[in-house]
Amino acid sequence: MQPLEGKKIVLGISGGIAAYKCAELTRRLSERGAQVKVVMTRAAKEFITPLTMQAVSGHPVAESLLDPAAEASMGHIEIAKWADLVLLAPATADLIARMAAGMGNDLLSTFVLATDAPVAVSPAMNQQMYSNIATQENIATLRRRGMLIWGPASGEQACGDIGAGRMLEPMQLVDLCISHFQPKILQGKKIAITAGPTQEAIDPVRFISNHSSGKMGFALADQAAKLGAEVTLISGPVNLPTPSNVKRIDVLSAQQMHQAAVEQATEHDIFIGCAAVADYRAAEVAEQKMKKVAGTDELVIRMVKNPDIIATVASLSENRPFTVGFAAETQDVERYAMDKLTRKKLDLICANDVSQTGIGFNSNDNVVSLYWANGQQHFSLASKQTLAKNILEQINELTQ
Ligand code: C5P
């Protein structure tokens, strides 16, 4: 089943240059099963034509409050009642101001007043207009009244400025619509997740690390937040943006990650150790950059064991969270995973075979098998986002 199957979305377009992306947005929403009806302001029609929006949505476009023909087919009050979600994208400073003032001086603003569906606002404007105190206060007003504020993004703007005010990309808006309709099965749950590699310094400029990209841990954090959980992400050094609605704690070494995890664990209901923690660190970190030594071709670095973060968490005697580990194996996946489950006293282990090319480390896809004391579940090749959701659904079942 498509993620937006049967969902009725009204796309309200106001007059900003990002309106040109609305055809794409509508297509992507429809592809995922949504029915989309479009309402446009007069200024929006300067940026994208009603004919285009009618063609991509498959429905006539509502443009004017005082159009007898449009009102006769489906009046604006009827469309307001029809909607499961109203998405205002792009929402200009002017539209936001008029909504904050409760005005109904055109079809779109009247429609917003008349609907009891959730309204998501995707601001899009020049960065100076966005940071203007009037706009900021108007957005705060809409947020306080329960409207969802999606974006804006930062970056280069059509006018040449750089800053916050870009409309979110169509696919980001589609994802937000999908997560809006998702049942919030983890509402009220607090989840801490470790992700990424650790860096173990050997001198001020060098370290030992591994190939973990952090993608699986970040996908778990993203999906957990979308399922309604309160998420703390303890991340090693990675090159990934923080998912929306996730609190992020950055660390470098295994010892730092251990400290952060121990501090956080008892505050959370669920702890997921997804990080690829270095097993060993240099026994002594050189104070100055190490120099090549003349007369020898060898360098010996003595290593000592790092603390096992997840085993520490799983052994907590008070306020112990439900503890989930990961096992990346190159052979005998089930046997090694089961061994880790019992040895580290975990409640659940997610195992994957990293000897297979194209999955696991650094890739966007993975294959995962879950094992727990009296059950197992296998998930075949899928995106890390999909698998993250599957894993979280299983965790939810096991923690009921
Ligand atoms: O023993 P191994 O590293 O294969 O176990 C993997 C699991 O243990 C992962 O969940 C990883 O995050 C966790 N781990 C840890 N602290 C370590 C080593 C691994 O939390 N020092």
Side-chain angles (χ1 to χ4, degrees), residues 194 273-275 277-279 306-310 325-327 329 340 344:
T194 66
C274 195
V277 185
D279 291 330
N306 271 324
D308 193 310
I309 300 168
I310 207 157
F326 272 74
E329 305 293 347
K340 240 164 246 183
K344 298 194 186 206

Side-chain angles (χ1 to χ4, degrees), residues 201-342:
I202 54 175
D203 73 11
V205 294
R206 302 184 181 96
F207 56 79
I208 296 172
S209 190
N210 60 63
H211 289 300
S212 169
S213 61
K215 283 177 186 167
M216 191 67 221
F218 274 60
L220 281 162
D222 187 22
Q223 291 295 327
K226 285 179 175 152
L227 292 173
E230 207 178 301
V231 184
T232 305
L233 177 61
I234 304 168
S235 176
V238 295
N239 195 10
L240 294 171
T242 311
S244 304
N245 300 320
V246 167
K247 181 179 146 205
R248 174 167 171 177
I249 300 172
D250 283 310
V251 296
L252 287 177
S253 67
Q255 282 180 304
Q256 288 170 1
M257 189 175 274
H258 183 262
Q259 193 190 335
V262 169
E263 280 168 15
Q264 295 297 323
T266 52
E267 305 292 315
H268 290 77
D269 307 298
I270 297 161
F271 181 92
I272 308 178
C274 195
V277 185
D279 291 330
Y280 294 91
R281 66 179 182 277
E284 290 95 28
V285 180
E287 268 181 34
Q288 304 298 331
K289 183 181 169 195
M290 290 160 77
K291 294 289 179 197
K292 283 190 278 288
V293 180
T296 175
D297 287 338
E298 282 188 2
L299 167 69
V300 177
I301 300 172
R302 198 167 63 87
M303 309 282 287
V304 291
K305 223 174 194 164
N306 271 324
D308 193 310
I309 300 168
I310 207 157
T312 312
V313 171
S315 302
L316 285 169
S317 50
E318 270 177 42
N319 296 325
R320 175 191 180 279
F322 183 89
T323 309
V324 182
F326 272 74
E329 305 293 347
T330 54
Q331 55 174 334
D332 258 344
V333 177
E334 179 168 355
R335 186 161 63 85
Y336 284 119
M338 290 306 285
D339 171 62
K340 240 164 246 183
L341 182 77
T342 39

Side-chain angles (χ1 to χ4, degrees), residues 96 129 131-139:
I96 288 169
M129 292 170 73
S131 61
N132 188 295
I133 187 74
T135 307
Q136 287 300 313
E137 285 184 6
N138 288 335
I139 289 175

Side-chain angles (χ1 to χ4, degrees), residues 97-141:
R98 289 189 290 120
M99 291 193 297
M103 288 171 73
N105 59 343
D106 67 355
L107 176 62
L108 187 53
S109 53
T110 307
F111 170 82
V112 171
L113 286 175
T115 189
D116 66 355
V119 178
V121 181
S122 184
M125 66 199 74
N126 165 271
Q127 51 87 22
Q128 199 63 50
M129 292 170 73
Y130 177 67
S131 61
N132 188 295
I133 187 74
T135 307
Q136 287 300 313
E137 285 184 6
N138 288 335
I139 289 175
T141 300

Side-chain angles (χ1 to χ4, degrees), residues 333 337 348-353 367-371 376-379:
V333 177
L348 173 71
I349 192 142
C350 315
N352 60 321
D353 183 346
V367 172
V368 175
S369 298
L370 309 189
Y371 302 96
Q376 51 179 266
Q377 173 79 274
H378 303 279
F379 296 114

Side-chain angles (χ1 to χ4, degrees), residues 31 47 156 192 199 237 296 314 364 391:
E31 262 171 22
F47 293 94
E156 202 173 313
Q199 273 181 10
T296 175
N364 292 323
I391 293 168

